[in-house]
Structures are given as structure tokens and as C-alpha cells.
Amino acid sequence: MASILTKKPNRTKLKDLKILGQQLLSSRAHINNLPILLTFISPSSPPQHVLESLLSLQSFFTTVLPDLPPSQSSKKRPRLDDSAKEDPEFIYRTWLRSKFDEFITLLIEVLVSPDTEDALREIVLDSFMEFVKLGNGGNFYSAIYHKLLRSIVQSATPVDFLSELLASKFFKYIDVRYFTFISMEKLAKTLDATDTPDDRCVGGDDESGSRSRESIELSIHKMHYIISHIPPLEGNDGKSEYEMWSGSGISSKEEHDKKEFSKRQKAEDKKLRTEKQTNNVLSPATIAKKMKLKFTKAWISFLRLPIPIDVYKEVLVTLHQAVIPYLSNPIILCDFLTRSYDIGGVVSVMALSSLFILMTQHGLEYPNFYEKLYALLTPSIFMAKHRAKFFQLLDSCLKSPLLPAYLAAAFAKKLSRLLVSVPPSGALVIIALIHNLLRRHPSINCLVHKEDGDESPEDRSKAEDMANKANDSGSDKRPGIDHFNSEESNPMKSNAMRSSLWEIDTLRHHYCPPVSRFVLSLENDLTVRSKTTEMDIKDFSSGSYATIFGDEIRHRVKQVPLAFYKATPTSLFPESEFCGWTFNYEGSNGNESEDKEQETSEENDASTKRQRLEC
């Protein structure tokens, strides 16, 4: 053994490590081999040496761990007399406990090190989770599991493979999920405490401040990956079978079947189980009942962190499906969602799904909801990534028959105005939305066709004033007046009821055939609900140039457009394209005579030049 001590870890042979492990497992006399084997649990050691030392130390600590006293940092450590502390056996076990804690720390270093191979990392994680299962007297050892998660979150380098491995192999166990939520809540509160207002205001020139922000953002990314990959609880009725990592994981059905075998003999066992439950031993049923509360606390603590914008968007996309249904009180997210909805742009679009669920299913009152929704109707929304879900939610938000007429008219007119600046796929969605609005709210059908005689006396006087100003400027035509203010953010002040949907009429001659064909659906009398049906926005919300092109290829045409004229054109622009326009300018005859005189003078000059040359 002395020769092994003198050798460096990298020069030690694998055969010598096997001998050290066998001696350690055979007798207490070779207990000094334990510190030697611990020196090989390092990211810098060869993988074969790490693996051999790990197998020997795991076999040793698995047998002695139930007899070891709690660690010094544990709250369950009992108070002992001076005579008990001087006991050699107690001193020996205390020393073994310190070596076990050192062994756990070394395993975590190997797990989070970027130099560790993936195959070795998987083996080390399996061994570590075995100690999590057995290290607390057969119950879940939450202390060392929390230490592992803290090291993963606070590591300076990404550990994506370790996080994926942990999620794929161990998040299927209900007790692992339970204690993961507890650890995520603690880590989120720790990060929130370290991210003080002074740290948030640090300038970009301060390197330490920028590093601290980068480390916090990296930790938040890791926390989001872990907390978002925990599968939700399938059932909360107490009858589902839950698999546990520590313990047998027997469900309530199996317990009931076993009790029927011998009721008298199981009566005492039942008392023992109740006593164990009072001593903080968690069964699958009790964990399932407490899971929703731990899930809620973990997510709320995480959402209070300064989340980076990329993680912020990922959270908003999945919040309505992966988080809200499993919260103990979903209304607690109202502040987070309203702040997100007030940001505007793409973030507001992503927050709309969750906010809509809180309003329709959980009684959230948000007075400025429609005003913010009205402000989202911009041309850029038709090119957004999540536009399909947005248009479906927009149609659902405007479905209520209690919607005021001015609000329905404002949305219809704003959508109609967007027709002149959106691509063909957006025009199809707008036509479908306006179709549903006109069918649901008959009071706004007056917008379809409104003439000058339909205006009120006040509107007519304003129109005359504008016409007089136009006549003074030299125009002999009375211009049409659209009272709608497209730049107004408040739909109540947009004057949509005094306008008309004249933009829809321009789509009759749209260059895209599907748009010009689809707009004919608005010519039907939409007030007769028995003869019309609502448009399904899903059929149009995800459209693009590619989908329109594919539909046109599959469409059979009876008459193919030709690349030449059937008849010789007489002019460049036919008169049918400029109805009511004339191109006869005054003084055109005088200009023609001047051109003829100029031509004759040029001919005379040319003839005199020829005569001179002949001479």
C-alpha cells in the first residue's frame, strides 16, 4: 500500500485500485484505503480509475450508511453527552460520515465538470441517485439531491447532457418530481435575493456586473429547462398508481388488495404506517395531494426572477397548457400576465392565450383588454410566428353577443383598413373575421354600404366644409370623407360607426384569385343566420404564399389565361380601366401646328444644305 501512496493518481495501475477496493470491503483494518480511493474520484482522473474507485466506494458506503450518524449540518442531529462523544465507535462513524459527505461532493464535481465523458457521467448519476434512494434510512435523501440541483443551476458551464439525463431517467418518479419542485423554489428565491436592484442597474463597463448578469441568466436557463421538463401529475383522484424512486411505491389499490388477505394481521401494520407518516414519511398518495401546492410555489418563484427575453417567450408559449391547468390558484398569475400583455408586440400576442383562459374560466376582470387587443392589430402581426393562434383567439374574443356595437364596428373597420397593406394570406383571414363579425353583430351591417345621404346633419355639414376647402384649392370634385381614425388607439374614439367598409370593395379586383373569389361571400345577407354559417378561422389563420400557391396548383381551371392578346389593342391603357377620366388637354391643337411648322423648317434647311454640296 505504501507503493500506491507514493504513486501519482495518473500513474496508478487499475489492478492496484482493485486490490485497494477488495481490501476495504474485506476488513475494517484496511479502512485507510478509503481516503486513497477518494483521491481518484476527480474529473482529472482517467475514466477507468474513476469507475473502479466508484464501484468500490459505492459497495462500501451502501453497507455502512444506515449506521452512520446524521451530518453536522443536519437539523436532526441529536445532542450527545461528552461520554458519548468520546466513544471510539462514535468517533469512527462520525469520520465515516465526513468521508461520505466528501464522496458526495466529489461525485457532484465529476457530474458538472465539462471534462467528464458522457458515458461516465451517466454511471456516476446512477450511483448518486442510489444514495439519494438509500442514504436517509430508506427514504428520499433530499439534502444531497438539493445539493446536486444547486450545483447544476449554479455551474459556470452548461450541463445540458446532465439535465437531459436527469429529466429522462428520473422525472418519471413522483417523489423525484416533488423534491425537485421544492429545490427549484429554494433556488429561485436565492437567485431573486442575489439579483438586487443595485446589480440590475450596473453599467455595461463593469466587467463583474456583466459577468454576474450572465451567470444569473445562465442559471435561469437551466432552471427553466428543469422545471419545464417535469411531467405534470396525471391524476389527482388518489386512485392512480404513482411510481416512487425511494420505497416500494405501492398505490392505494394495491394496499387495499393486500389488506384483504389478513385483516387482523394487517391492523398492527396499519398503525405502524400511520406512525411513520407522522414522522414525515411521504407515501405516493400524500405526495400527490401536496404536488399541486409545490408545483405552484416553484413556478411562482421562478416567474419572479428577471427572466431573459428568450426564456420569457418560451414560458408564455407553454404557460396556458403546461402550467395554468395544474396550479392550485391560477388567478395568481394575473399580475404576470397583465404586465406581459401591456408590453406590446409579440410578447402581448404570446400572453393573450393565458390571459384569455383566466378571463373566461377563472373570472379575471381586465377592463383594458379590448383596448390592448385593438392596439395589436398592425400589419406586422400578419407576419408573426404565432399569428395562427392569435387570429383564433381574436375570433373567440369577438364572439360574445354582449359586445357593444361600437367595439365590433371598430374591430371590423380596423381589419378592413389593414386589407390594403397585408399579404394575400392575411386578406383571407381578415375576410373570414369580418364575415363572422357581420353575422354575429347585425347592428354593424350598416357599415357594408353607406352613402352620403345616410350621414347625420353634423357629418353632412363637416363634409360640406371640407368640400368647400377642396373647391378653394382648385378641385372641381367633392372628395369622399372617411371619418375613421386609424391612428386612434381607443376603439371608442375611432369613429368607426360613421365610416364604411369601402376597403372590401377594392378586393373584387385583387391580383390574387383566391382573395377576389373569397370576398364574394360578403355579398350574402349575413343577418339571416339560418342561411349562413360562421367561418372557421383555423382554415385561414396559418396561410402563406406557399399554401395559396399549392391551392392554385391543385385547382382546375376551365379557361387558362393567355400570354398574348386575342385582339390587337388600340391603346396602351383601355378606357375601361379609367372610367370617368379624359386625357384631352387644352392647347393640344396649337402644339400640333407648332410641331408641323418646326418639321417644315427643318426640311427647308436640309434642302439648302444639299444644294450647297452639289455646287
Side-chain angles (χ1 to χ4, degrees):
M1 192 177 91
S3 60
I4 298 176
L5 286 173
T6 57
K7 293 180 181 179
K8 295 183 179 180
N10 293 331
R11 296 181 180 179
T12 304
K13 295 182 180 180
L14 191 62
K15 182 179 179 181
D16 298 335
L17 288 179
K18 291 182 179 180
I19 295 174
L20 288 176
Q22 293 174 358
Q23 291 176 351
L24 177 64
L25 296 174
S26 62
S27 173
R28 184 183 287 190
H30 301 282
I31 193 62
N32 290 328
N33 293 357
L34 176 60
I36 301 174
L37 292 173
L38 285 175
T39 58
F40 292 92
I41 307 296
S42 173
S44 59
S45 300
Q48 298 84 359
H49 293 181
V50 176
L51 182 60
E52 185 63 34
S53 301
L54 174 63
L55 294 177
S56 301
L57 292 173
Q58 183 179 0
S59 301
F60 174 76
F61 280 116
T62 302
T63 56
V64 302
L65 195 58
D67 300 330
L68 298 183
S71 59
Q72 295 181 358
S73 60
S74 177
K75 296 181 181 179
K76 298 181 180 180
R77 186 178 180 88
R79 295 181 179 180
L80 300 175
D81 299 334
D82 295 336
S83 59
K85 293 181 180 180
E86 295 177 357
D87 185 14
E89 185 67 21
F90 176 77
I91 295 174
Y92 170 73
R93 292 179 180 179
T94 305
W95 179 79
L96 286 182
R97 165 58 70 176
S98 64
K99 293 303 176 182
F100 175 76
D101 295 339
E102 181 183 353
F103 177 53
I104 293 297
T105 303
L106 293 174
L107 290 181
I108 294 176
E109 290 180 1
V110 174
L111 285 173
V112 300
S113 175
D115 301 330
T116 306
E117 297 180 0
D118 292 340
L120 178 62
R121 185 179 281 112
E122 185 175 359
I123 297 174
V124 173
L125 180 61
D126 292 340
S127 301
F128 185 89
M129 293 303 294
E130 287 294 329
F131 288 115
V132 172
K133 179 194 292 187
L134 305 173
N136 192 20
N139 302 319
F140 196 93
Y141 201 171
S142 59
I144 63 173
Y145 183 68
H146 175 72
K147 191 175 182 180
L148 171 65
L149 293 180
R150 184 180 60 192
S151 301
I152 292 175
V153 171
Q154 296 180 356
S155 62
T157 57
V159 283
D160 298 337
F161 181 77
L162 179 59
S163 302
E164 294 174 3
L165 201 62
L166 184 66
S168 61
K169 296 187 69 173
F170 298 101
F171 280 177
K172 62 182 178 180
Y173 302 104
I174 187 173
D175 50 351
V176 176
R177 300 184 219 171
Y178 179 82
F179 288 103
T180 303
F181 284 133
I182 295 177
S183 298
M184 289 296 106
E185 179 189 359
K186 294 178 181 178
L187 293 173
K189 291 180 178 179
T190 304
L191 279 178
D192 194 16
T194 56
D195 187 30
T196 59
D198 295 336
D199 294 335
R200 298 181 185 181
C201 299
V202 173
D205 296 336
D206 192 356
E207 295 182 0
S208 62
S210 61
R211 289 176 183 174
S212 63
R213 285 195 299 271
E214 291 177 359
S215 62
I216 290 176
E217 289 183 1
L218 181 60
S219 299
I220 293 175
H221 276 84
K222 296 174 184 176
M223 288 185 62
H224 174 254
Y225 182 87
I226 294 175
I227 198 172
S228 61
H229 281 75
I230 302 177
L233 200 61
E234 292 80 5
N236 200 19
D237 52 0
K239 298 180 180 180
S240 303
E241 296 183 2
Y242 303 114
E243 190 176 2
M244 294 187 67
W245 175 245
S246 62
S248 59
I250 300 175
S251 66
S252 58
K253 282 186 177 181
E254 294 174 347
E255 289 179 358
H256 180 70
D257 294 337
K258 288 184 177 181
K259 287 177 184 177
E260 291 182 353
F261 287 107
S262 57
K263 294 182 179 180
R264 295 179 181 178
Q265 295 179 358
K266 296 296 180 180
E268 297 180 357
D269 296 338
K270 188 176 180 181
K271 293 181 180 179
L272 293 175
R273 289 194 189 98
T274 55
E275 292 178 357
K276 287 182 180 180
Q277 288 179 0
T278 56
N279 293 328
N280 297 326
V281 178
L282 295 175
S283 64
T286 55
I287 289 180
K289 292 178 181 178
K290 296 180 180 181
M291 181 68 77
K292 181 171 284 190
L293 181 61
K294 299 301 180 183
F295 178 89
T296 303
K297 289 183 178 180
W299 269 103
I300 295 302
S301 300
F302 173 75
L303 294 178
R304 289 172 180 168
L305 296 174
I307 305 176
I309 187 63
D310 53 344
V311 179
Y312 200 93
K313 292 179 180 179
E314 292 180 8
V315 169
L316 290 176
V317 168
T318 59
L319 198 64
H320 64 287
Q321 293 179 344
V323 179
I324 291 180
Y326 308 100
L327 293 176
S328 59
N329 185 18
I331 206 70
I332 200 171
L333 289 176
C334 63
D335 293 337
F336 173 78
L337 291 175
T338 51
R339 285 197 306 268
S340 304
Y341 193 60
D342 293 339
I343 292 175
V346 181
V347 177
S348 297
V349 175
M350 295 177 176
L352 182 60
S353 301
S354 302
L355 194 60
F356 180 74
I357 291 176
L358 293 186
M359 293 177 62
T360 56
Q361 300 180 11
H362 301 282
L364 175 65
E365 294 183 2
Y366 187 39
N368 298 328
F369 175 77
Y370 283 100
E371 184 176 346
K372 299 293 183 181
L373 183 62
Y374 182 80
L376 292 178
L377 295 178
T378 57
S380 61
I381 199 65
F382 292 87
M383 305 299 295
K385 182 179 179 181
H386 305 281
R387 63 183 182 275
K389 186 64 176 178
F390 170 75
F391 291 132
Q392 296 173 22
L393 290 172
L394 177 63
D395 183 64
S396 301
C397 294
L398 301 176
K399 190 176 291 186
S400 174
L402 302 178
L403 202 67
Y406 77 88
L407 200 58
F411 276 93
K413 181 59 182 177
K414 186 65 175 290
L415 291 169
S416 179
R417 181 60 59 88
L418 290 173
L419 282 171
V420 299
S421 59
V422 298
S425 58
L428 294 175
V429 180
I430 290 177
I431 294 172
L433 289 169
I434 294 177
H435 178 279
N436 292 343
L437 279 172
L438 294 174
R439 186 177 181 274
R440 296 166 185 165
H441 309 281
S443 57
I444 67 171
N445 274 270
C446 59
L447 301 178
V448 176
H449 184 71
K450 181 179 287 187
E451 297 181 353
D452 294 338
D454 298 335
E455 296 178 353
S456 61
E458 297 179 357
D459 297 340
R460 195 179 299 111
S461 63
K462 292 181 181 179
E464 291 175 356
D465 294 339
M466 294 184 67
N468 294 331
K469 292 180 181 179
N471 290 331
D472 295 338
S473 62
S475 176
D476 59 349
K477 298 263 184 192
R478 177 179 175 179
I481 299 174
D482 192 352
H483 300 279
F484 176 71
N485 186 5
S486 60
E487 298 180 357
E488 177 61 47
S489 59
N490 190 355
M492 184 182 296
K493 301 178 181 179
S494 62
N495 297 328
M497 290 296 292
R498 296 163 60 186
S499 181
S500 63
L501 304 180
W502 58 266
E503 297 89 352
I504 295 178
D505 189 62
T506 62
L507 298 183
R508 297 175 185 269
H509 308 286
H510 199 275
Y511 72 91
C512 187
V515 176
S516 59
R517 288 195 302 264
F518 189 45
V519 76
L520 298 178
S521 62
L522 297 179
E523 294 183 356
N524 301 326
D525 188 6
L526 300 178
T527 57
V528 184
R529 299 176 62 87
S530 59
K531 296 182 180 180
T532 57
T533 57
E534 286 192 359
M535 298 286 184
D536 192 0
I537 304 300
K538 292 182 180 179
D539 299 337
F540 309 97
S541 58
S542 58
S544 61
Y545 283 106
T547 57
I548 294 176
F549 183 73
D551 293 339
E552 285 298 309
I553 291 178
R554 292 188 295 268
H555 182 66
R556 291 186 177 183
V557 291
K558 297 180 180 179
Q559 186 177 2
V560 180
L562 301 177
F564 55 88
Y565 292 99
K566 294 181 180 179
T568 305
T570 58
S571 61
L572 181 61
F573 299 105
E575 295 182 358
S576 60
E577 294 184 2
F578 297 92
C579 298
W581 290 75
T582 57
F583 298 97
N584 295 326
Y585 296 97
E586 295 181 359
S588 60
N589 296 329
N591 292 333
E592 291 177 357
S593 61
E594 291 178 359
D595 293 339
K596 290 180 179 179
E597 291 178 358
Q598 186 176 0
E599 290 176 358
T600 54
S601 64
E602 290 177 356
E603 291 177 356
N604 294 331
D605 294 338
S607 61
T608 55
K609 290 179 180 179
R610 290 194 197 97
Q611 291 176 0
R612 292 175 182 175
L613 291 173
E614 290 175 356
C615 296

